Each structure stands twice: as C-alpha cells, then as structure tokens.
C-alpha cells in the first residue's frame, strides 16, 4: 500500500501503471505533455482544447489518441488531489517517485507545480461556493425637482443597482438612498473592510 | 386664485361651529392625508364635532384637503401669501386661525411629502458580517475572508396598500468589497463636487 500525500484512497492498479508508463516518454515529449497538462489545470474550462492538444501530440508522436487520453486522465488525479490538500512541490515530487516516475521527470513536474501553484490555488478559491455573489454595482444620483405634492424641491437622491448572481442567472436589485443613508452605508462598508483586513 | 370654489369656502366656514380652536386644529390635521374625506370614521367624527350632516362634513374635509395641499405644493410660507387666497367675505377670525394652522403644519406636511414620494425601494436597514472560509470541496484547507451583507428594502406604494419589505442577502469577496468601497468613494467625491457648485 503506497503512502501518498495527495490521496488517502487506494489507487486502482491502472493508475499506478499509467504513471510508470510516463517513464517511456522522452524528455522532450514529457515536457510537452506536462505543458499541455498545466495549461488545462490553469484553464479548466478548455477541455476541448486539452483533448485536441492530446490528439495532436499523439499524431505527432505516432501513438493512438485513446490510450493517451486515458493516461492523462489518470495523471490528472495527482494535481487535483495535491491542490485540494495544499501540497508543496516536495510532497508532489515524493508522491511521483513513490508512484514509480523517474527522478528527472518527477523533478520537472514538481518544479512546474511550484511555479503554477499560486495561480492554481487562487483559481480553486475562486471556484469555492459563493451564495448570492455581488457581481456589479451601478449608481446614479440626482435632484428631485418637483413632485405631484411639491411644486419645487431640491432633494438629492442616490439610486443603486446591485447585480447579484443567483445560480446561473443574475438578479438586479434597485434601491434608493438618502444622503445620510449613503454616508452610513459607506461607513459600514469601511468597517467591514477593516474587519476583513485584520485577517489578511 | 379661485381654485377652491365658493361652495368650498362656504363649507370651510362650517368650522365656525367647532367647540374650540383645538377642535379646528384636529379636524384640519385629520383632513390632510390622502383619502381622508372618504374615510368613514373621519367623516363621522368631524360631523359629530361640528354637529353637521355627514355630507357637509365630507365637503369640509375635501375643501380643507385641497387648501392644505395647495399651500404645501406652492410652498407658501408666510401669512401674506396665504391670506389672499380667501375671498373678501370670509370670516376674518376663522381666516386667521386657518392660516395659522396651515403655517404650523406645512413644514411637517412638506417633509412627509418628501419622504413618501415616488421612489425605488428604500434602504431601511443594513447588516453585515465577516466570515472566514476554512475549507471547501476544492480546497481542504483555506483561510479566505468573505463578507455577507443583508439589506432590508421597503417599498411604500404611493397610492394605496401597505409598505412591503424585502430582504436581499449577498456575499462579497475581499476584491468585490474593495471595488465597492472605491465606487462609493467616487460617489462621495461626486456628491461633494455637486454640493460645492
């Protein structure tokens, strides 16, 4: 039973085999595969591009695309687990060595991990659940010149439109504030920011 | 300025039957809100106070309602502006009393009109809290602060019906909060530029 940092589960045999098969690639091929892999990790929505690049690679290197894709699917398990568990580059390298990857390739992969880790973890934070996320704020303010009750006034009003993401769609919330309410709102938000700043 | 008809001025003179100046004041303030002259209890109360019929009471309330709203609309703030409204034949002491009552209340009525005018839902309450996210399905260990904001909005329809309250809760990341405060700061600067002009 392998002791791995990136997962507590027992890996299926084919995954271990797949990692060992990586040793068969030349240095150049491995570097290119690693590049394709990290590109996908950094832009997880580009799955079509990822598969296309793998197919191209397979064609250029005289191998079938299907097994290559299956291989990369196994390999992806490691960075996904490593990200979830905030692993360091050393730990990633140790896991790769445990899985049977040779020293050079393990070093290269973990170096890339070190380089890309800050962006990857920020991406993971960004993917974390947010409830009713505020996405946009628009405002206008003006002066009420007159109403049906008052022929002439000079009242300042502030109108805010907040755009909130609810699931897949956005909702607009409109509201009006008087000047004192606006100053109070600004004051409260600055207090919230001060509170947040304490933690970072 | 004959926006009140002669009949309506006659109806106003029914106030002469009031038992006291305070009774006149009471009737005048009760006639101000919209729909006062249609409110059965107000009409009956007025009719009893003045010992007149319900229909006469309704006429009086309507007349005073029009007069007081006119004063607020035109922003008449001095006796010299109000007294000429009344016809020559109007009872002089009553005219002075009504003018005094109108002037006493017009500031309150004006502020009420300002606060209940047509508007988007008004912000009535604001609450926030700052949380620390410590784990999620994508990261088993994290320390990300986040702000939850709850705003209570009240929509007061001008015409009829009661106010309806709604609550909006939203989550802001640190960046969003910073951006929002930038935006609010810009509003503050724009406001002070306008105020200075």
């Amino acid at each position: 039973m392998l002791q791995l940092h990136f997962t507590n589960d027992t890996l299926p045999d084919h995954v271990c085999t797949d990692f060992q098969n990586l040793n068969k690639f030349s240095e150049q091929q491995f570097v290119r595969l690693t590049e394709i892999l990290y590109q996908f990790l950094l832009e997880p929505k580009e799955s079509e591009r990822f598969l296309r690049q793998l197919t191209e690679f397979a064609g250029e290197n005289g191998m079938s695309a299907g097994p290559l894709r299956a291989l990369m699917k196994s390999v992806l398990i490691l960075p996904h687990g490593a990200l979830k568990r905030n692993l360091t580059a050393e730990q990633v390298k140790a896991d790769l060595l445990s899985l049977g990857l040779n020293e050079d390739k393990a070093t290269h992969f973990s170096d890339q991990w070190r380089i890309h880790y800050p962006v990857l973890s920020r991406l993971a934070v960004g993917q974390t659940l947010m409830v009713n996320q505020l996405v946009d704020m628009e405002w206008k303010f003006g002066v009420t010149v007159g109403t049906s009750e008052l022929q002439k006034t000079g009242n300042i009003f502030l109108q805010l439109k907040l755009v909130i993401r609810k699931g897949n769609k956005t909702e607009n919330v409109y509201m009006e504030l008087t000047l004192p309410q606006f100053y109070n709102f600004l004051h409260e938000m600055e207090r919230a920011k001060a509170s947040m700043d304490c933690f970072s | 300025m004959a926006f009140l008809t002669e009949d309506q001025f006659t109806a106003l003179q029914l106030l002469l039957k009031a038992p006291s100046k305070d009774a006149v004041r009471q009737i005048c303030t009760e006639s101000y809100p919209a729909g006062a002259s249609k409110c059965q209890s107000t009409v009956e109360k007025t009719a009893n106070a003045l010992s007149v019929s319900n229909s006469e009471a309704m006429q009086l309330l309507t007349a005073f309602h029009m007069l007081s709203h006119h004063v607020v609309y035109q922003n008449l703030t001095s006796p010299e502006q109000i007294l000429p409204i009344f016809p020559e034949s109007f009872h002089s002491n009553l005219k002075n009393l009504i003018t005094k009552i109108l002037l006493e209340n017009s500031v309150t009525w004006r502020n009420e009109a300002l606060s209940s005018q047509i508007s988007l839902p008004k912000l009535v309450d604001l609450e926030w809290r700052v949380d620390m996210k410590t784990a999620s399905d994508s990261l088993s260990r994290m320390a990300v602060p986040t702000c939850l904001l709850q705003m209570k909005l009240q929509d007061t329809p001008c015409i009829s019906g009661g106010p309806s309250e709604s609550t909006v809760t939203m989550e802001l990341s640190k960046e969003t909060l910073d951006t929002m405060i930038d935006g609010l700061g810009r509003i503050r600067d724009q406001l002070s530029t306008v105020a200075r002009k």
Side-chain angles (χ1 to χ4, degrees):
Chain A
M1 238 292 279
L2 283 171
Q3 285 283 70
L4 294 165
H5 294 107
F6 75 90
T7 180
N8 283 338
D9 304 329
T10 317
L11 287 175
D13 284 336
H14 75 89
V15 175
C16 297
T17 322
D18 284 333
F19 272 98
Q20 279 151 15
N21 282 338
L22 283 174
N23 287 326
K24 293 190 191 146
F25 290 102
S26 72
E27 194 185 317
Q28 214 181 0
Q29 289 171 327
F30 184 74
V31 165
R32 174 68 189 136
L33 272 179
T34 313
E35 194 187 333
I36 297 176
L37 186 95
Y38 274 100
Q39 259 195 330
F40 177 57
L41 287 174
L42 290 165
E43 285 169 305
K45 293 206 174 94
E46 300 285 337
S47 48
E48 271 192 34
R49 183 186 69 188
F50 177 59
L51 293 172
R52 200 177 10 105
Q53 285 174 322
L54 286 181
T55 313
E56 274 171 20
F57 180 89
E60 283 162 13
N61 291 279
M63 52 184 77
S64 1
L68 180 64
R69 283 208 285 266
L71 172 74
M72 292 307 271
K73 219 168 113 182
S74 299
V75 174
L76 273 173
I77 299 177
L78 188 141
H80 282 153
L83 188 59
K84 199 162 161 180
R85 286 157 176 244
N86 310 93
L87 293 187
T88 62
E90 287 73 28
Q91 288 168 314
V92 167
K93 182 171 168 185
D95 278 354
L96 287 168
L97 291 172
S98 307
L99 284 165
L101 194 63
N102 68 36
E103 173 84 29
D104 290 336
K105 295 192 167 68
T107 309
H108 176 77
F109 194 94
S110 54
D111 283 343
Q112 289 297 298
W113 178 257
R114 182 178 294 117
I115 293 171
H116 294 297
Y117 181 68
V119 179
L120 285 173
S121 71
R122 234 174 306 162
L123 207 67
V125 170
Q127 281 166 353
T128 303
L129 180 68
M130 275 199 100
V131 180
N132 284 2
Q133 187 182 13
L134 177 67
V135 286
D136 198 18
M137 177 173 90
E138 284 176 30
W139 74 82
K140 74 168 169 223
F141 63 86
V143 175
T144 303
V145 177
T147 78
S148 50
E149 297 298 308
L150 302 165
Q151 191 182 42
K152 252 202 279 190
T153 92
N155 230 28
I156 301 185
F157 64 84
L158 172 69
Q159 282 174 355
L160 279 186
K161 169 179 156 193
L162 299 172
V163 182
I164 297 180
R165 181 169 296 131
K166 286 193 164 189
N168 280 337
K169 54 182 173 37
T170 57
E171 186 183 300
N172 297 334
V173 179
Y174 298 92
M175 65 187 80
E176 197 164 301
L177 286 75
T178 63
L179 280 195
Q181 283 174 324
F182 164 70
Y183 286 113
N184 184 44
F185 180 43
L186 175 57
H187 177 67
E188 288 302 313
M189 291 296 95
E190 284 177 338
R191 280 176 74 201
K193 178 180 149 83
S195 178
M196 281 239 239
D197 284 343
C198 280
F199 291 111
S200 38
Chain B
M1 219 183 310
F3 66 94
L4 278 178
T5 66
E6 224 183 279
D7 283 343
Q8 283 170 322
F9 278 112
T10 314
L12 278 179
Q13 299 206 84
L14 287 170
L15 284 169
L16 287 167
K17 294 193 180 184
S20 68
K21 283 193 182 156
D22 281 335
V24 176
R25 245 185 209 104
Q26 175 103 5
I27 294 171
C28 293
T29 40
E30 277 179 10
S31 74
Y32 185 79
S37 51
K38 298 193 189 66
C39 171
Q40 195 58 22
S41 55
T42 315
V43 172
E44 277 176 9
K45 212 164 127 193
T46 311
N48 289 338
L50 302 174
S51 313
V52 297
S53 71
N54 275 7
S55 62
E56 287 178 314
M58 209 182 313
Q59 269 191 316
L60 163 63
L61 289 171
T62 313
F64 196 84
H65 182 90
M66 283 182 65
L67 177 61
S68 52
H69 278 255
H70 175 84
V71 167
V72 169
Y73 184 78
Q74 300 282 352
N75 197 22
L76 304 178
T77 46
S78 69
E80 294 72 37
Q81 289 171 314
I82 301 182
L83 292 168
I85 298 177
F86 296 88
E88 289 285 326
S89 54
F90 202 86
H91 189 281
S92 165
N93 284 349
L94 182 60
K95 179 167 68 174
N96 290 336
L97 176 61
I98 292 180
T99 306
K100 191 159 158 231
I101 295 173
L102 287 171
L103 288 173
E104 276 168 11
N105 287 297
S106 67
V107 174
T108 319
W109 287 334
R110 202 181 158 78
N111 289 336
E112 237 176 70
L114 276 175
S115 61
S116 62
Q117 67 186 2
I118 297 175
S119 82
L120 291 178
K122 294 207 181 79
L123 177 66
V124 289
D125 199 12
L126 177 68
E127 259 184 50
W128 58 266
R129 92 176 187 213
V130 168
D131 286 347
M132 185 66 94
K133 294 193 207 187
T134 54
S136 76
D137 62 325
S138 38
L139 282 173
S140 59
R141 247 183 23 247
M142 57 200 275
V144 176
T146 186
C147 176
L148 279 171
L149 185 60
Q150 185 178 86
M151 298 174 133
K152 254 203 203 96
L153 304 176
Q154 194 176 62
D155 199 359
T156 314
C158 289
I159 302 182
S160 60
S164 66
E165 238 183 49
S166 64
T167 311
V168 176
T169 310
M170 60 193 95
E171 190 173 338
L172 288 77
S173 66
K174 189 163 188 315
E175 290 76 27
T176 312
L177 182 59
D178 286 340
T179 311
M180 181 194 242
I181 291 184
D182 270 344
L184 295 178
R186 262 185 284 157
I187 299 177
R188 185 189 48 203
D189 295 338
Q190 287 174 339
L191 281 172
S192 45
T193 311
V194 167
R196 255 183 275 132
K197 279 211 188 100

